[in-house]
Each structure stands twice: as C-alpha cells, then as structure tokens.
Amino acid sequence: MDFNGLSIDQAPPISGPLRFFITAPLFGIIAGVMLLFSDSASLMSRYSIDAIVVAHLLTIGLFGFIMLGALTQMLPVLASANIPKVKLVSSLSHILLVFGLLLMAFGLTESNSLSLLLASGLLGGGFLILVVSMLYAISGVEHFTASVKGMLVSLIFAFMIVIMGVYLLYGYSQNDITEFHYIVANIHSVWAVFGFAGVLIIGVAFQVLPMFYVAPRFKQFCKKRVVLLISTGLLIWMVLSLYAQEYTLYAKLWIATFFWAFATTVWIKFNKRKRPISDVTVWYWRAASIFLTLGSFLWIFDEFFKHQYIVMVGILIGGGFILSIMLGMLYKIVPFLVWFHLNAEGYMTIPTMNEMIDKKLARAQFGLFILSLIGFVFAFYMPVALFPSALAFIASMILLEYNVLAPVKIYVETKKRKPDFDMSSFSMSN
C-alpha cells in the first residue's frame, strides 16, 4: 500500500466514519424488505411512492451513509482538511439523518404530512451540518490535488441536491406536486448520481487506485480536466432541462461519454497493475466499470423511448456502478481504519487488514449482490424475478453488515487489553 501524499496523522476519531459504515447495510436490508412487498409494476415508475421510498432508502441510507463516512475519513487524510468538531458534527448529522430517513419513508408510505415536514427538516439539517462543515474544512486547504478538487465539486453538488430534496419533500407534505416539481426531481436525481456520487468516485479514484491497488497513475488530462468537463456538462444539461428540453440529449451525450471513458480507464488501470492480485474489491471495481458502461449507453438510448427505461438506468448506474464501488471500498476502508487506529495506540499483535474479513463471506456477499442486480433488471420483463432478487439483495446486505462488524469486533476486543507499546506521549488522540 502506497501512503505517499497522505496525512495519516490527521485521521479523525474512528467513531466518525464507522457510525455511517455500520448503519448503511441496515438501510439496505430495510430497502430489500420493502422490495419484497412492493408491486413490481409500481416500481417501474420512477415517480411512484414505492419507487421513491426504496430509491431513497438506498441512495441516502446506503450510498449516502457510505459516502459521508468515507468523506469524514478521507478529507483529513487525503486533503489535510480537518472538519471542525468532527466527532460532534458526525454524530449529530448521523442521528438527524437516521431519524429523518425513517420519517420520510413512513410519511411517504402513509401520506403523513407531519412526518414529511419533520423529515425534510431532519434530513436537510443532517446533510447540511456535515456538508457545510466539510466545505469549510476544504476552504483551508493549501494544496488542491485532483482528488481534493473532485471532493470539493462533489460536495457543492451535494449541497445543491439537498436543497432540492428539501423542496421536493416539502411539496409532498403539502400535496403540491406541479410540473416544476418533476423538473426539479429530475435534476435532483441526475445531479445526485453524476454530480455528487459520480464526481466523488472519480476524484477519489485518482488517489485510491494507485494507493490500494498499485495501479498506474491517471494522466494529467484526467486529473485536471475530467471533473471540470463533467460538471460543465451537468450545468448545461440543467439549463436545457429548464428551458430547452428538446436539446438535453446533447448534454447527456457529453456527460455519458466522460463516464464511459472513466469506466474504460479503470478497467485498463486494473489490467496494468504492478501486483495483479485479485480479491473481491477488484471484482467490485471491474463490475462497476461494466455496469457504468451499460448504464451510460442505456441512459442515451432511453431518450428515444420516452424514458421507459429510466428505472433500469438507475439500477445499472446507481446499483451496478455507484453501490459496487461503495461496497468494494468498505472492504478496504473498514479494515484499514481498525488496523491504523490500533497501531497508532500501540497495539501491534493484531490481525493484518487482509485477515480481518472472511474472504469466503466477502465473495458470497459479492455474488449475491451481483445476482440481485441482474435479477432486478430481468424483473422488468419477468415480474416473478423481483421476489427472489429482493431475497438475494437482503442476504447480501446481511452478509455485508456481518463483514463490516467483523473488524469492528476486533477493534473493540483488542481495546480491552493493554497496548503492546505505550504511545501516549506521541500518538494521535482518539
């Protein structure tokens, strides 16, 4: 592992990111249970209540929690951007988001206006507390690397989609759903997928692939221009969506081209690794490249069919690309956090990062997850496939939770004994 360029002494308390990582699979399980009892026909419409609830349990509860936890860890380490009062900020944000998301799911399902109003406040507050704190931390960074720029741009998109999300949720609470509501909802979803999650993944990949996988570094053009070009495309697409919808295809082509190029580049980078050892995290990156390629082309193809396939696009890009990367990185980040913090406190006789998670269980989780995604795609044509696919997804999330908790258990049990070395005079505070 290459730690060059990292400020590992700036790492936040382990509780900051871990609370998000531990909670994320639980929302995946809840989403899977909802899929079990949902009507397959209603899920095919992106604006049905069932589809909205499941989508946000996944995008906020699963994707969002993992991304927020990762940013809590990566900003100080990759960018030397210290989030003020990180323990308080992360815990408060986490509590607000958990209750806000549960209230949102209940409010939408039961058409409860009070729950939706409370949810809009809790979710908006939970996101903005952490996002604004992160933006403030980045404002003090002296050296803006490509990864830092990617994280900054993704957080700006995150800020905007949170504002849109509060507006949309307030509209549901007042039963005030206009044509403009659907336009904002479309911008909200596209910016969330490509602007927040997509740009974040690209920015982090610049550092993560060489660091964790000893892959060749990205070319300067990729580091300096791709995030800017994608962001420009997303802004142009938004303007066209508002004022000239008949021309949005051109902006979509622009955005999809650069994401397809990223998918191809990632595949090539893994083929050129100096140590081509394969594990489940590599499988996730490769799967993400395939799903992103398919999803990007389908997003363009869907334009000619009156958006009949937009939910399938969401499965391919949201589940196949974004979630695959998030799950793969969990298998790297959580063991690293445990190993690093224990070492920093003087514990040396501990398992290595590769020993903290059972490889067979990780492979089983990967298999079930990919199987569920394929099943969800087939459910468009064979509704009977939805139930077993949902079961596979639930099983994969249960295994994921177990695999995330395994290193955490090592941390808790190790902390019960005396450190091998006294690091109190020069270790970081935890």
Side-chain angles (χ1 to χ4, degrees):
M1 187 181 296
D2 180 12
F3 293 118
N4 185 40
L6 300 185
S7 302
I8 55 177
D9 59 316
Q10 302 292 326
I14 192 171
S15 61
L18 274 188
R19 58 169 49 90
F20 288 102
F21 296 153
I22 292 171
T23 310
L26 300 178
F27 280 108
I29 294 170
I30 295 171
V33 172
M34 284 207 64
L35 285 170
L36 281 179
F37 299 100
S38 295
D39 175 37
S40 61
S42 67
L43 292 173
M44 298 304 106
S45 170
R46 63 185 295 192
Y47 296 121
S48 71
I49 294 300
D50 283 354
I52 291 171
V53 172
V54 170
H56 285 82
L57 286 170
L58 294 173
T59 54
I60 297 176
L62 190 53
F63 305 0
F65 273 42
I66 296 174
M67 287 189 284
L68 291 176
L71 281 166
T72 302
Q73 173 66 26
M74 290 188 299
L75 278 175
V77 173
L78 295 185
S80 297
N82 293 311
I83 301 169
K85 299 186 182 298
V86 62
K87 195 169 185 178
L88 173 63
V89 168
S90 61
S91 60
L92 180 58
S93 172
H94 179 262
I95 292 170
L96 292 175
L97 289 173
V98 167
F99 285 102
L101 184 52
L102 292 174
L103 279 170
M104 175 185 173
F106 173 80
L108 287 172
T109 304
E110 301 298 325
S111 299
N112 188 298
S113 296
L114 178 59
S115 294
L116 291 173
L117 277 173
L118 290 172
S120 64
L122 292 174
L123 288 173
F127 272 115
L128 291 177
I129 287 171
L130 196 51
V131 169
V132 171
S133 296
M134 289 176 176
L135 288 170
Y136 175 79
I138 291 179
S139 69
V141 173
E142 296 180 0
H143 304 290
F144 272 78
T145 64
S147 290
V148 176
K149 291 176 183 176
M151 288 187 283
L152 172 60
V153 172
S154 73
L155 284 169
I156 292 172
F157 276 111
F159 181 87
M160 297 304 297
I161 64 173
V162 169
I163 300 301
M164 293 183 216
V166 171
Y167 165 79
L168 294 169
L169 201 49
Y170 180 79
Y172 279 108
S173 73
Q174 303 301 304
N175 197 27
D176 181 20
I177 310 301
T178 63
E179 186 65 28
F180 183 69
H181 176 101
Y182 292 113
I183 294 174
V184 173
N186 194 32
I187 296 171
H188 170 79
S189 59
V190 170
W191 276 21
V193 169
F194 294 106
F196 177 35
V199 169
L200 178 62
I201 288 170
I202 291 173
V204 171
F206 295 149
Q207 182 77 44
V208 164
L209 294 193
M211 181 179 74
F212 279 129
Y213 301 102
V214 201
R217 296 188 179 278
F218 286 79
K219 293 182 179 179
Q220 288 302 310
F221 174 82
C222 294
K223 291 183 176 182
K224 292 181 177 180
R225 298 286 181 264
V226 169
V227 168
L228 174 62
L229 290 168
I230 290 172
S231 302
T232 302
L234 286 168
L235 289 171
I236 293 172
W237 174 84
M238 180 197 69
V239 173
L240 293 175
S241 296
L242 290 170
Y243 302 108
Q245 292 191 20
E246 64 272 22
Y247 297 109
T248 55
L249 174 63
Y250 300 106
K252 290 174 70 171
L253 280 167
W254 179 273
I255 298 163
T257 297
F258 285 106
F259 273 98
W260 168 76
F262 172 72
T264 303
T265 301
V266 166
W267 188 273
I268 293 171
K269 296 291 182 191
F270 274 99
N271 286 342
K272 293 183 177 180
R273 285 179 299 152
K274 294 179 181 178
R275 294 202 302 267
I277 300 172
S278 185
D279 61 19
V280 73
T281 68
V282 174
W283 299 354
Y284 267 120
W285 275 95
R286 289 193 180 278
S289 297
I290 295 171
F291 280 115
L292 177 55
T293 299
L294 295 173
S296 297
F297 283 113
L298 184 59
W299 192 42
I300 302 302
F301 178 80
D302 178 64
E303 191 75 17
F304 300 98
F305 289 86
K306 298 180 179 179
H307 308 297
Q308 293 180 23
Y309 300 97
I310 196 64
V311 175
M312 191 184 296
V313 172
I315 294 170
L316 292 173
I317 297 181
F321 166 53
I322 297 173
L323 189 50
S324 289
I325 299 293
M326 295 297 111
L327 301 188
M329 290 313 300
L330 271 184
Y331 284 124
K332 286 291 187 182
I333 294 175
V334 176
F336 170 75
L337 284 176
V338 170
W339 173 85
F340 170 72
H341 281 273
L342 287 176
N343 267 267
E345 295 171 32
Y347 296 96
M348 303 300 167
T349 54
I350 57 174
T352 65
M353 287 182 282
N354 288 330
E355 296 170 340
M356 290 187 183
I357 295 178
D358 188 309
K359 291 181 176 61
K360 291 182 179 179
L361 290 179
R363 289 194 290 267
Q365 189 275 322
F366 171 84
L368 286 167
F369 174 71
I370 297 299
L371 186 64
S372 70
L373 288 181
I374 295 171
F376 290 143
V377 171
F378 275 101
F380 274 78
Y381 309 101
M382 297 183 298
V384 69
L386 179 63
F387 189 84
S389 301
L391 285 176
F393 184 78
I394 293 169
S396 76
M397 291 297 104
I398 292 172
L399 279 177
L400 178 66
E401 181 71 6
Y402 179 87
N403 291 338
V404 169
L405 287 174
V408 177
K409 182 182 178 184
I410 292 172
Y411 179 83
V412 172
E413 292 182 348
T414 302
K415 289 275 290 182
K416 292 177 181 178
R417 61 180 173 83
K418 186 178 179 180
D420 300 301
F421 296 97
D422 183 7
M423 308 288 283
S424 58
S425 60
F426 53 89
S427 69
M428 67 175 189
S429 61
N430 194 21

